[in-house]
Amino acid sequence: LLRTSLRPTHPPRPRHSKGAPMADPAQQLLLRIEALERRLNTPPPPASPGSSFAYVPASTGDSFFLLCSGLMVFFMQCGFGMLESGSVTSRSTQAILLKNLLDACISGLLWWMVGHAVAFDGGNGFIGGEVGFSPSSFFTAGYRNADDPGYSYLLWWFQWTF
């Protein structure tokens, strides 16, 4: 009798209004993820004439993934700055942080001018490849004429963060 009275009693499992037990939290999470995937993969309705919103990315899920991944990779610059600042004397910390900032800025400019074009334009098997950006990726010149210019710029940015 003593053992049974010390056992914790669990409240009854919550039920929907129809009387059926609710799904397991893991199942609920999977159902919500599947619904989100369906929503992301469903093409949006076409914009009405005269609407100020005319551009919708081809793949919102891909764009979101590239944006978040690029942000995480770029945030590693802060970690590198802290690592290098901890490796030098306190009087050199400002110079190290300025060096890291200039590194990010200058590499971004060089990637915009020539880096992306050298890496991804052309049909050479050694350098570049067929990406479909026309006429060229130098200075991101052909990106405005691409089928999906936002996605092209996002790919450029994602590759630059590495």
Side-chain angles (χ1 to χ4, degrees), residues 2 17-18 20-21 30-31 38 40 60 64 67 78 90-91 95 102 107 112 117 119-120 127 130 133-134 139 156 160:
L2 184 59
S17 59
K18 296 180 181 176
L30 286 174
L31 290 173
R38 280 193 305 273
L40 287 175
T60 311
F64 182 73
L67 184 63
C78 297
S90 60
R91 136 184 132 183
L102 289 175
S107 68
W112 171 70
F120 293 102
I127 295 177
E130 293 297 329
F133 300 143
S134 62
F139 299 97
W156 175 92
W160 169 67

Side-chain angles (χ1 to χ4, degrees), residues 40-98:
L40 287 175
N41 292 328
T42 303
S48 60
S51 171
S52 61
F53 184 74
Y55 170 72
V56 175
S59 176
T60 311
D62 286 348
S63 299
F64 182 73
F65 178 76
L66 284 176
L67 184 63
C68 289
S69 300
L71 284 172
M72 287 188 286
V73 170
F74 189 70
F75 196 64
M76 288 180 1
Q77 288 285 342
C78 297
F80 294 142
M82 296 300 112
L83 175 71
E84 291 179 20
S85 295
S87 301
V88 297
T89 62
S90 60
R91 136 184 132 183
S92 301
T93 299
Q94 191 174 10
I96 290 293
L97 294 178
L98 180 63

